[in-house]
Structures are given as C-alpha cells and as structure tokens.
Amino acid sequence: MYQDSPLSSYIHDLSAPTKRGHERCIALIESATALFLKQGYDAVSLDDIVNHAGGSKTTIYKYFGNKEGLFVAICDYHRELFFKGVCVAFNPTCEELRNYLINTLINFYQHILDPDHTAFMRIVIEQSQRNPELAAYLYNKGTQLVQNTIANALIRAAEQGNIVCCEPLYSAMYYLGILRNWEWQVVMGLNPQLCEQEILKYIEYAVDLFLAAHQKV
C-alpha cells in the first residue's frame, strides 16, 4: 500500500497532471499539516482541511485516496524538505568529512529545536503505533534513508583512504545517536539546558571521537 505514496512520484513531475493540480496538492498538504499540528490528527476531518485550503474533498480522494493517504503524502513532502536543508549527500571534492559530519549534526540540532518539527514527530509516533504498516513505511523512507546517506558518506571517505570503516551502516547508526539524547528531551517536552556554544563544543568533541575510532590502528 505504501510503496509509492501519491506525492512521491507526483512532486518530482510538476507537469503531471497540471501545474494547477500540483499547486492544489501542495495547498492541501500545507493546510492539513497546519491543522494537524494545531489540533491533532484525530480532531481534524477532511471537511476541516478543505474548508481551510479551499477546493473540495474530490481532490483529496483523487490524489491521496483518503485522510491516511494524505498524511503519508505529508510525511513524504516533509522528507523532501528535510533532505534539501538538513541531511545532504557528501561531496568529498567540496568538503572535508569532519566538516560535513559537524555541519550535518548542527543542521539536525536546529531541526530538532523547531517546534513544528517536534509537534509533527509526536503525531508520527502516535500514528505509527496504531499502524505497523505505516510505521515500517515511514522508517524505510525516513530514518533508514538518513542512515544510508551517512553510510554512503563514510564509504566514500573510506574509498579515498581518509578513514577505515568496515561496517558503514553500523557506524552511521552510531553517529546519528550523538544527538539522540537532546532529540528525545525535546520530543518529551523537556528543554535542553545548553547554549549554542556548548552544543557546538559537544558536537565537535563527539565527531572527533567518532573519526578517531575510524583511523588505522
């Protein structure tokens, strides 16, 4: 059911079916997101979304199938934005691995502190608990893609002889755990008590330890 969400292929082809149709889809996604964040997933109906965005429920049924399909498309849409601004592919010709790893974590941390991101994560967790199939889809298209992006960066660095990395996916999982403590504090409604300078110091310290573990003995 979730192999290809309605927006996954659609958002990459702005001419299909029409520019106006694409704009209507984006408007519905943005309106539904705003309502879900404000009122919660269960409290929002398709009528509420249509009244907020304009148009009719026919458009939702046509492009997303139902409310659940619209939610999946929202997750896909936010994943597209995430990869544009937070987690990008590593290009060894433009950036050193250390700077890439540090900058990625800084981007992650700023993303974590975004109140809308936190609210959205809570909705995703809630809906995933209700629907194992949805949970598997969101993990494969979200968390696993991020892990693979970092793993590929480590593979490229190892190929150039800059590090030794026998298990790049394991290393990527370890790397992404560097900020897990702060992420869960924010998701649970706690306020991390560190200033930006302390966070940067911690990130640099953790990345240096990470890279030290990937050097030849």
Side-chain angles (χ1 to χ4, degrees), residues 24-187:
R24 291 300 309 139
C25 284
I26 297 300
L28 286 167
I29 284 173
E30 292 178 344
S31 291
T33 300
L35 291 173
F36 289 158
L37 293 179
K38 183 178 180 181
Q39 302 177 28
Y41 179 86
D42 292 333
V44 177
S45 67
L46 292 184
D47 287 326
D48 293 330
I49 296 170
V50 169
N51 290 336
H52 190 271
S56 67
K57 286 193 289 187
T58 302
T59 304
I60 295 178
Y61 296 136
K62 179 179 179 181
Y63 293 119
F64 307 110
N66 52 28
K67 182 180 174 182
E68 185 181 70
L70 176 57
F71 181 73
V72 173
I74 289 172
C75 293
D76 284 343
Y77 180 62
H78 281 272
R79 186 186 72 242
E80 295 282 342
L81 298 179
F82 178 85
F83 274 99
K84 286 182 180 179
V86 178
C87 186
V88 299
F90 173 57
N91 186 346
T93 63
C94 300
E95 190 173 19
E96 293 182 352
L97 180 63
R98 181 179 184 273
N99 290 337
Y100 169 81
L101 295 175
I102 289 174
N103 289 334
T104 298
L105 287 179
I106 291 173
N107 291 339
F108 264 110
Y109 184 73
Q110 293 172 342
H111 191 64
I112 289 170
L113 294 183
D114 183 347
D116 285 345
H117 167 74
T118 302
F120 188 72
M121 281 298 300
R122 290 171 182 154
I123 294 174
V124 168
I125 292 171
E126 179 183 22
Q127 295 308 308
S128 296
Q129 289 177 329
R130 298 178 179 181
N131 188 333
E133 186 181 359
L134 175 63
Y137 173 83
L138 295 180
Y139 177 81
N140 292 335
K141 295 295 185 178
T143 302
Q144 199 164 61
L145 277 181
V146 174
Q147 291 174 356
N148 289 340
T149 299
I150 301 302
N152 287 334
L154 299 176
I155 290 172
R156 297 193 68 179
E159 289 173 344
Q160 293 188 327
N162 296 325
I163 62 172
V164 175
C165 189
C166 300
E167 297 288 350
L169 186 58
Y170 290 169
S171 292
M173 294 167 64
Y174 185 83
Y175 164 80
L176 291 171
I178 289 174
L179 291 180
R180 195 72 69 203
N181 176 55
W182 280 278
E183 183 177 19
W184 279 107
Q185 284 189 58
V186 173
V187 170

Side-chain angles (χ1 to χ4, degrees), residues 183-195:
E183 183 177 19
W184 279 107
Q185 284 189 58
V186 173
V187 170
M188 291 187 293
L190 303 175
N191 183 25
Q193 300 297 315
L194 288 179
C195 65

Side-chain angles (χ1 to χ4, degrees), residues 7-25:
L7 199 64
S8 291
S9 58
Y10 176 66
I11 197 171
H12 290 98
D13 185 357
L14 301 185
S15 63
T18 64
K19 180 180 178 181
R20 183 178 181 183
H22 177 266
E23 291 173 348
R24 291 300 309 139
C25 284

